[in-house]
Amino acid sequence: MARILSILVGLFFTVALLWSFGLGFYTWTTEPAAATAEHEFHLHPKNVHFASDGPFGKFDNQQLQRGFQVYKEVCSACHSLSHVAFRDLEQLGYSEAEVKAIAAGFTVPGTDPNTGESAMVPGSPTDYFPKPFANDIAARAANNNAVPPDLSLMTKARHNGPAYVYSLLTGYRDQPAELLKHFPEAKTPPGLHYNPYFANLNLAMAPPLSGDGQVEYGDGTKSTVDQMAKDVAAFLIWTAEPTLEKRKQTGWAVLGFLLFATILGYMSYRNIWSDKKH
């Protein structure tokens, strides 16, 4: 009797599960999801090309240096690069003396040599880029209750990351009238800024690139908003994967070896079994 009862209970739950699944599928196919402002007005990243794209792509060190300059003069006030050490900048073509000078321009936690007490001291090449805020509370207080994310791995943390960074930096605009007409509740709250490339359309970060000429490039390149956004996005590709070029070179060497081994194996197969077939 207990066995029959357990079978009936199992059948009941199976039928209930199938029924709920079927009802959910029917509802999904017959009743479309309610439209939202995020669904209707969120835009995919723009199409943009970087020198490091593709299987043969390589970093453009001149562009990376420009991107670092944008980060240093604009982004570093709010965003950290906690996975990048100053000495890593030598990979961008900076000399040892230039790296030392760049590091000394930042202050990092250290020890006062005169008193032995904790203090902020000039950075050295072995130090990592410091955080701009002492803690998350200070970061929230300075950024409309939002904590600026670390940018070290940003181009890996977001889908189509380089294009996302570029699009976000160049995507600030006024809310379209059509959005306010159909979704008045989606009006950008005070203190936030409309950007259709951000997931929920509004973000706490004000437009960091305020206009052309904001950064004076040392190589004479005209620093338009578009150029600065593309340069800093390229720099963040490097911070997220500084070994990108080496990985691609290794990949081609491995593919060449596998191709050679495949041909060699096939020739060995033909040689060994040529007189064994009838």
Side-chain angles (χ1 to χ4, degrees):
M1 183 67 182
R3 186 174 182 180
I4 295 176
L5 184 61
S6 63
I7 292 175
L8 291 176
V9 171
L11 286 174
F12 170 78
F13 281 108
T14 301
V15 171
L17 180 63
L18 291 174
W19 172 262
S20 61
F21 175 79
L23 184 62
F25 180 76
Y26 175 78
T27 303
W28 177 71
T29 54
T30 57
E31 299 180 14
T36 63
E38 292 83 356
H39 181 266
E40 296 292 328
F41 290 89
H42 176 64
L43 300 179
H44 293 290
K46 304 174 184 178
N47 291 322
V48 57
H49 172 73
F50 295 94
S52 57
D53 290 346
F56 298 100
K58 294 184 178 181
F59 287 125
D60 178 349
N61 281 354
Q62 193 170 27
Q63 181 180 43
L64 297 187
Q65 290 187 13
R66 294 197 303 267
F68 168 65
Q69 187 177 350
V70 175
Y71 167 78
K72 179 183 176 183
E73 297 184 20
V74 180
C75 310
S76 64
C78 298
H79 297 277
S80 57
L81 282 179
S82 60
H83 295 286
V84 181
F86 292 112
R87 61 186 175 187
D88 295 333
L89 295 177
E90 290 187 22
Q91 299 177 30
L92 308 187
Y94 289 107
S95 67
E96 184 177 347
E98 288 173 324
V99 170
K100 287 182 178 179
I102 291 170
F106 289 81
T107 56
V108 299
T111 302
D112 188 325
N114 298 317
T115 64
E117 297 179 350
S118 297
M120 298 301 291
V121 299
S124 65
T126 57
D127 290 317
Y128 284 77
F129 279 84
K131 294 182 178 180
F133 302 102
N135 50 51
D136 287 353
I137 296 176
R140 291 183 186 277
N143 293 278
N144 197 29
N145 203 37
V147 178
D150 182 89
L151 297 182
S152 305
L153 305 176
M154 184 56 65
T155 56
K156 290 291 186 182
R158 298 291 185 270
H159 175 66
N160 200 3
Y164 167 79
V165 171
Y166 167 79
S167 301
L168 191 74
L169 292 175
T170 59
Y172 288 90
R173 63 192 67 174
D174 294 330
Q175 282 189 297
E178 187 178 358
L179 183 151
L180 297 176
K181 177 181 178 181
H182 296 287
F183 304 97
E185 72 282 359
K187 181 177 175 61
T188 299
L192 299 185
H193 306 272
Y194 179 75
N195 193 314
Y197 297 98
F198 193 64
N200 66 2
L201 306 181
N202 301 299
L203 71 164
M205 181 175 69
L209 302 178
S210 56
D212 295 349
Q214 184 175 352
V215 173
E216 185 176 349
Y217 284 142
D219 63 2
T221 301
K222 187 176 180 181
S223 58
T224 63
V225 170
D226 184 83
Q227 184 68 54
M228 289 185 289
K230 190 172 182 180
D231 290 342
V232 76
F235 172 68
L236 293 179
I237 295 174
W238 173 78
T239 64
E241 192 175 5
T243 59
L244 180 144
E245 287 186 5
K246 185 175 182 180
R247 174 176 61 81
K248 291 181 179 180
Q249 293 170 358
T250 302
W252 283 114
V254 170
L255 287 176
F257 169 77
L258 291 176
L259 179 61
F260 172 75
T262 300
I263 295 174
L264 186 64
Y266 178 73
M267 293 175 65
S268 298
Y269 160 77
R270 292 292 302 270
N271 183 57
I272 293 172
W273 293 95
S274 60
D275 60 341
K276 300 296 191 294
K277 295 183 179 180
H278 299 285

